[in-house]
Amino acid sequence: MAAKAKKTPKPYNILIVGQGGRLQYEAILFAASLRANSPGFKGRLIVAEPRPGPLWQNDPSIRGQDTRDLLAHLGAEIIPFDSRHFGQAYPYGNKIEALFALPKGDPFVFFDTDTLVTGDLASVPFDFARPTASLRREDTWPQIELYGPGYTATWKSLYDKFGLDFDSSLDPAWPDEFWRRYLYFNAGFFFYKCPHIFGQRFLDYALAIRDDPPAELVCQSLDPWLDQVALPLVIHSLGGGRDTLPAGLLDGDITCHYRLLPLLYARESDRVVEVLEQVTAPNKLKKVLKSYDAIKFMIYHGRGQKVRALFDRDDLPRKEQAIRNTIKRNGFWMR
């Protein structure tokens, strides 16, 4: 009897958001690093671009035909989407509304635009039926008040609001009222088998939290944290969790969510810096990228290496704010 042929996995799409200003240049860095370090990627790289509309004070579109041409040269497709719920008031909502620009039923991976691909994405064993997101985060939300609800009461109120099982979301390795016990992600990446299912759930939860939060959230800010408050609830509701990907791949050997170039030079590995400087070296990219000051000065004028010399990567400050303060104190902060 002949051996059963192994089923070839369905290609997945990658989604990033590009709009006028910093994000359009970060989109170039992402696309260039993807092509350099994951040449076997078979899916589509989609740059979702918000259309102008009543929720934007200014035109959020990508500026300059040179940027559009370069993204196309790097294999990216620019696809517009409409901002119906967030726009200028909450631009982080782009990552929610952009999901509806993707083809329904095709698996996807969303990355924040300020990400570099440093390895082969083919080595990442995505289980698109069990979503997860980035665990590279700090205890940014909720901010517990002295006489206010604690972590348990705050998070449980949200699970109860959407009829979700709270106890099964907890990590018993951590004690009660310690932030790591609760399902919390950075929204720098996430994935699922269908962008429309994920996007609708994400949109419904985010709007319900924004417009009708539980009483336990009365002291909590949702700007800019709304997406990161809704995201664990979405992932939990869709059968995902914190451990559906092996550790050390995304936000590790394969991708780096660097956030801002001064932070990249301060704290990321030599490999990340090498990738950044290699993919930005060709003149075709340099011609476009140098029009953005942070890239021009950090990469091409060597300011990033001066930032790098300020820090010992083996003994970094525990909090990101301390890293930022050191960079600012030395006059090297740019974004």
Side-chain angles (χ1 to χ4, degrees):
M1 184 175 175
K4 190 174 181 180
K6 189 176 180 181
K7 188 177 179 182
T8 302
K10 185 177 182 180
Y12 59 88
N13 300 316
I14 290 176
L15 172 68
I16 60 176
V17 174
Q19 68 184 77
R22 174 167 57 91
L23 269 65
Q24 71 183 60
Y25 298 102
E26 291 174 350
I28 292 170
L29 301 182
F30 182 95
S33 66
L34 173 67
R35 296 310 171 196
N37 296 308
S38 196
F41 174 67
K42 304 296 186 188
R44 299 163 65 191
L45 170 58
I46 295 173
V47 179
E49 176 188 32
R51 284 191 182 99
L55 297 186
W56 293 100
Q57 294 173 12
N58 302 305
D59 185 349
S61 304
I62 291 171
R63 301 166 197 157
Q65 190 60 42
D66 54 354
T67 296
R68 294 178 183 275
D69 292 343
L70 184 53
L71 284 168
H73 170 75
L74 293 167
E77 303 173 51
I78 299 174
I79 296 182
F81 70 93
D82 292 314
S83 302
R84 295 188 170 94
H85 303 279
F86 299 107
Q88 191 85 26
Y90 188 69
Y92 298 96
N94 280 343
K95 68 182 64 177
I96 301 175
E97 299 198 78
L99 290 166
F100 298 100
L102 296 179
K104 185 181 293 189
D106 286 356
F108 76 94
V109 184
F110 168 86
F111 288 105
D112 267 345
T113 316
D114 49 358
T115 300
L116 285 179
V117 179
T118 56
D120 187 1
L121 282 170
S123 66
V124 180
F126 291 107
D127 181 351
F128 287 101
R130 300 174 64 226
T132 192
S134 174
L135 291 170
R136 189 179 184 185
R137 77 284 194 227
E138 294 183 346
D139 53 334
T140 47
W141 196 93
Q143 291 295 309
I144 302 302
E145 301 292 331
L146 183 59
Y147 298 107
Y151 284 99
T152 295
T154 301
W155 278 114
K156 188 174 186 302
S157 72
L158 289 163
Y159 284 78
D160 289 348
K161 179 177 179 65
F162 299 110
L164 303 174
D165 181 64
F166 173 65
D167 290 341
S168 62
S169 74
L170 301 174
D171 184 347
W174 300 97
D176 193 41
E177 293 303 318
F178 184 67
W179 71 274
R180 290 185 184 274
R181 181 175 175 84
Y182 308 90
L183 198 62
Y184 187 55
F185 300 105
N186 183 286
F189 77 79
F190 51 83
F191 59 85
Y192 191 55
K193 63 185 179 182
C194 174
H196 290 240
I197 294 172
F198 195 98
Q200 193 62 56
R201 187 73 52 90
F202 206 172
L203 179 63
D204 291 346
Y205 283 12
L207 292 178
I209 294 167
R210 182 192 73 180
D211 298 339
D212 184 26
E216 287 81 356
L217 270 63
V218 66
C219 294
Q220 298 297 331
S221 172
L222 292 172
D223 189 358
W225 313 117
L226 178 61
D227 61 329
Q228 293 189 183
V229 177
L231 185 59
L233 305 168
V234 174
I235 286 172
H236 187 66
S237 75
L238 294 172
R242 57 176 63 77
D243 299 318
T244 73
L245 269 185
L249 298 179
L250 300 189
D251 288 336
D253 292 338
I254 308 300
T255 65
C256 172
H257 183 204
Y258 60 87
R259 306 264 305 285
L260 294 162
L261 288 175
L263 293 176
L264 183 156
Y265 277 101
R267 66 187 180 186
E268 303 301 347
S269 69
D270 290 346
R271 169 62 180 163
V272 172
V273 174
E274 177 187 39
V275 167
L276 176 68
E277 297 191 343
Q278 283 181 350
V279 302
T280 56
N283 285 330
K284 191 176 187 71
L285 275 75
K286 188 183 297 186
K287 184 178 177 183
V288 176
L289 291 172
K290 69 181 182 182
S291 60
Y292 185 62
D293 279 351
I295 290 177
K296 178 172 71 174
F297 286 102
M298 282 287 153
I299 300 173
Y300 298 125
H301 289 191
R303 188 175 291 183
Q305 292 296 341
K306 293 179 181 178
V307 169
R308 195 158 183 78
L310 297 172
F311 297 92
D312 177 358
R313 252 67 57 200
D314 296 322
D315 189 26
L316 287 168
R318 192 172 65 86
K319 289 286 189 179
E320 181 183 298
Q321 191 57 51
I323 298 175
R324 289 173 176 248
N325 290 343
T326 297
I327 299 170
K328 290 174 182 177
R329 194 164 55 245
N330 284 273
F332 296 144
W333 184 257
M334 301 188 79
R335 60 176 302 158

